[in-house]
Amino acid sequence: ALHEKNFGIDCELLSRTLKHPEKISDKYFSKKEKELPFIEVWTKKEAYAKLLGVRLFDVLKVDTFYSDHFTMIFKVASSTVTK
């Protein structure tokens, strides 16, 4: 076991780009989430879905901006990524 509490992990290349991310962010991201890089928010949402064991669609409207838990997960993941 890696940790005594449940957790969800998702890894994405920070350099990954999409042609039209606003099609997703306009529909599913909160106002504050839209201020962040798309890939950061998307990765948080995917990790949260994995934590809960649900489909990504089930958590797309969850606001990840105001939770320290989500921020911590991303910072840990992004600080260990090297190019």
Side-chain angles (χ1 to χ4, degrees), residues 6-70:
N6 293 333
F7 58 93
I9 295 175
D10 186 63
C11 300
E12 300 285 347
L13 290 174
L14 297 177
S15 60
R16 180 180 172 197
T17 59
L18 299 173
K19 289 184 180 181
H20 302 287
E22 68 280 354
K23 288 183 178 181
I24 295 171
S25 60
D26 287 349
K27 187 171 183 178
Y28 297 109
F29 290 11
S30 71
K31 184 177 179 181
K32 287 291 190 180
E33 285 176 324
K34 291 176 187 175
E35 296 172 6
L36 300 171
F38 176 86
I39 199 68
E40 178 179 337
V41 177
W42 187 257
T43 303
K44 290 177 188 180
K45 290 180 183 288
E46 284 200 28
Y48 188 55
K50 291 174 183 179
L51 167 70
L52 299 177
V54 299
R55 300 173 304 153
L56 178 61
F57 183 78
D58 296 331
V59 298
L60 278 177
K61 292 195 175 186
V62 171
D63 188 344
T64 63
F65 184 81
Y66 291 104
S67 173
D68 290 337
H69 178 69
F70 290 111

Side-chain angles (χ1 to χ4, degrees), residues 1-7 9:
L2 296 172
H3 199 276
E4 59 188 43
K5 293 186 178 184
N6 293 333
F7 58 93
I9 295 175

